[in-house]
Amino acid sequence: MDRDGVERTEDGRWIVVGGRRWRAEDPGLDPDDAARLRSHLGRARSAVRTAGDDDARRAARDRVQLAKEGLGERGDPWWDLSSAERARRAADRLDRLGG
């Protein structure tokens, strides 16, 4: 386990929660961008839970997807992209999320 109590695979690409493997956040992201993406992710997850109808739920899930792509947790694996491509992806997703 690392300092935040999360178990990680030796290569650092995955976290393990309850025996299930999940893609880890891109460790090379700018810390401010990563924090903003995590903030968007939390707000979008909350919106999924409180959505009043299917359209609102779909829109919130789309925002979850964008935030997770920006963090490198979905889409092309971050370890297959150059640093510049990873930074562009994060910036694009932040723009699409409204900053």
Side-chain angles (χ1 to χ4, degrees):
M1 279 195 212
D2 64 11
R3 67 184 190 319
D4 59 2
V6 175
E7 182 181 347
R8 296 184 186 273
T9 59
E10 287 185 33
D11 60 12
R13 296 176 176 175
W14 307 94
I15 63 171
V16 180
V17 179
R20 188 166 177 191
R21 191 176 71 162
W22 300 89
R23 192 183 310 171
E25 180 180 302
D26 180 352
L29 289 177
D30 174 80
D32 291 334
D33 288 347
R36 289 170 45 214
L37 285 161
R38 283 191 300 272
S39 177
H40 279 289
L41 178 58
R43 286 179 281 153
R45 284 178 168 163
S46 177
V48 168
R49 286 189 302 273
T50 61
D53 58 45
D54 290 342
D55 289 340
R57 189 171 295 106
R58 176 77 263 149
R61 285 187 176 146
D62 289 347
R63 293 179 65 77
V64 167
Q65 179 69 20
L66 286 171
K68 290 185 83 55
E69 287 174 5
L71 288 166
E73 296 176 10
R74 291 189 184 157
D76 293 332
W78 51 262
W79 54 86
D80 288 342
L81 302 174
S82 69
S83 295
E85 290 170 319
R86 292 155 54 187
R88 274 194 302 273
R89 176 171 64 183
D92 174 73
R93 297 324 185 266
L94 279 168
D95 285 344
R96 292 171 65 184
L97 287 163

